[in-house]
Amino acid sequence: MCSMSSNVSGAKVMIRKINTNDNGQQASYISWKVFSYIQLLILFVLYFLFPVQLYSKEKAEIKVVAVISGDEIVGKLNKPSGLFFDEIRKRLYVADSGNNRLISFDSEFKYLNELSHEELILPTSIVRNKEGHFFILDNGKADIIFIDLEKKVVEPLSLTGIPPGKEKFVPGRIAIDKANRLYIIDKLNKRLLIVEQTGKFVREITVKDKNFLGLTDVRVDNNGDIYAVDAVSGSVYVFDNKGEMVSRFGGRASSIGTLRFPVSLAIDKNGLIYVVDQHAGKVSVFDKKGSLQYTIAKPGVKEGELSNPSYIFIDREGRIYLIDGNRIQVFKE
């Protein structure tokens, strides 16, 4: 209190001295100083309360090209959890988890058919290899299901050579690379397993980071680089094709590029990383170094807005597929 009183007293002395020389100059000086301090205070508060809004902007030219929620023929979607666009056959496949089925649409998003099977209880994640075979994560059975549509084969994928973990193996979301290797999140053991499409173990990736709490989603680009997200810590991890971590960004403590609850991610043809921030109701777009470029969409229930986004996929044409509650919104930049 004494120091503060002394400073205030000193300020009064300085003001009186200036007053004796030039009242107009003194008033101008004080007004400028007060204005500058107010500006700094406002910027300081905004920086810490709304860091992302200050340094990012919404992508203005993005538009909604389709909204898929079901109709009288297909019925209503019920908790869709994963999807995949087949570039060869030009078909969209959706894991309609709540209805225990896979459904397909053509390139214009018109319903084609569905696949339901006793082996499918709660399909949630879906990938396809070069031969046209599907690998489905079934959360109901805690298993990876192999599907060959031509031969009408639907069976669990047998994993071999997996190093034992401290906890039971419970698979999370899956990804696939151009060599048909599968990348499977091991949820309880907090690691990423890489296996051949036959199920044979190749290697594992673990994260040596004190803030790491487990992986939520994973993707692999054409160079074999691996991208994964940790929803609880709000972090995105990038690994090279040997499994070495090359960068980490996001997190709730960072000022620019803060992620509240990232649940899914995708990589576009330019190498940009699209991260679904579920609690923020938007998609944040980063470069490979973790620099925030812009954001897509905003919270809400209207077309083009996001109320509960949970999964993202980007096809070769740059169309962005976002699962948002019981609907799928397709955007085009």
Side-chain angles (χ1 to χ4, degrees):
M1 290 298 290
C2 292
S3 174
M4 183 178 295
S5 175
S6 175
N7 287 338
V8 172
S9 176
K12 289 180 180 178
V13 171
M14 181 185 70
I15 292 171
R16 283 199 297 269
K17 184 177 180 180
I18 294 174
N19 266 332
T20 59
N21 293 331
D22 189 340
N23 290 335
Q25 183 182 358
Q26 180 269 336
S28 176
Y29 175 79
I30 295 174
S31 298
W32 177 82
K33 292 290 288 184
V34 171
F35 178 72
S36 297
Y37 287 137
I38 292 175
Q39 278 187 316
L40 288 174
L41 180 61
I42 292 173
L43 287 174
F44 180 83
V45 173
L46 288 175
Y47 180 83
F48 285 98
L49 291 182
F50 309 103
V52 176
Q53 286 84 343
L54 280 175
Y55 291 94
S56 66
K57 60 181 181 179
E58 187 176 339
K59 188 84 170 182
E61 55 268 32
I62 195 166
K63 62 180 181 179
V64 180
V65 297
V67 178
I68 306 169
S69 58
D71 54 29
E72 294 180 356
I73 299 176
V74 67
K76 293 293 184 181
L77 299 185
N78 184 11
K79 299 181 179 64
S81 301
L83 59 82
F84 169 81
F85 186 79
D86 186 339
E87 300 288 353
I88 298 175
R89 304 183 69 184
K90 300 299 179 183
R91 289 186 178 182
L92 174 66
Y93 295 89
V94 178
D96 189 14
S97 305
N99 289 318
N100 313 109
R101 61 180 180 174
L102 301 179
I103 50 179
S104 62
F105 302 85
D106 64 17
S107 59
E108 299 297 323
F109 311 117
K110 296 178 180 178
Y111 170 71
L112 292 175
N113 49 47
E114 72 172 66
L115 169 66
S116 56
H117 193 276
E118 60 184 6
E119 290 288 348
L120 291 177
I121 299 178
L122 193 65
T124 55
S125 186
I126 175 172
V127 296
R128 176 188 177 277
N129 66 12
K130 294 179 180 179
E131 290 73 37
H133 305 144
F134 290 94
F135 297 88
I136 312 294
L137 166 65
D138 191 326
N139 270 345
K141 303 181 68 174
D143 218 340
I144 306 296
I145 307 298
F146 169 80
I147 299 178
D148 184 338
L149 292 177
E150 291 186 1
K151 295 182 179 180
K152 299 181 179 179
V153 174
V154 181
E155 62 185 15
L157 177 68
S158 178
L159 301 179
T160 59
I162 304 296
K166 293 182 180 180
E167 305 292 339
K168 177 183 177 181
F169 170 64
V170 177
R173 283 179 174 167
I174 56 179
I176 194 167
D177 65 16
K178 61 182 181 181
N180 282 344
R181 286 185 291 262
L182 296 172
Y183 295 69
I184 307 170
I185 293 175
D186 183 354
K187 294 194 292 187
L188 297 185
N189 292 297
K190 299 180 181 180
R191 60 181 176 174
L192 183 64
L193 300 176
I194 304 175
V195 303
E196 301 290 353
Q197 60 178 335
T198 59
K200 182 180 178 181
F201 175 76
V202 176
R203 67 175 185 270
E204 68 177 10
I205 296 176
T206 56
V207 179
K208 297 177 176 62
D209 182 353
K210 63 179 182 179
N211 297 316
F212 176 68
L213 295 170
L215 298 177
T216 309
D217 198 12
V218 60
R219 292 289 191 280
V220 187
D221 67 15
N222 290 330
N223 298 320
D225 293 335
I226 306 159
Y227 307 78
V229 64
D230 176 359
V232 180
S233 73
S235 301
V236 176
Y237 294 89
V238 182
F239 307 88
D240 62 20
N241 54 19
K242 296 180 181 179
E244 297 294 326
M245 188 171 73
V246 296
S247 68
R248 169 190 175 274
F249 60 88
R252 294 191 175 85
S254 62
S255 56
I256 302 175
T258 297
L259 294 169
R260 292 171 57 186
F261 197 72
V263 293
S264 185
L265 78 172
I267 318 302
D268 74 2
K269 60 183 179 182
N270 298 316
L272 292 177
I273 307 167
Y274 292 64
V275 183
V276 176
D277 195 344
Q278 188 174 77
H279 289 178
K282 64 182 179 181
V283 178
S284 295
V285 183
F286 300 86
D287 64 17
K288 204 166 184 177
K289 296 180 180 179
S291 177
L292 181 64
Q293 305 299 298
Y294 53 86
T295 62
I296 293 175
K298 61 182 180 180
V301 297
K302 297 178 181 178
E303 183 177 296
E305 298 176 339
L306 300 175
S307 61
N308 187 32
S310 59
Y311 191 83
I312 186 171
F313 183 90
I314 302 176
D315 66 20
R316 290 179 185 173
E317 295 182 11
R319 291 182 297 192
I320 303 167
Y321 302 79
L322 275 164
I323 295 179
D324 181 34
N326 287 328
R327 65 179 178 177
I328 300 168
Q329 297 198 75
V330 186
F331 296 85
K332 178 69 175 178
E333 294 187 78

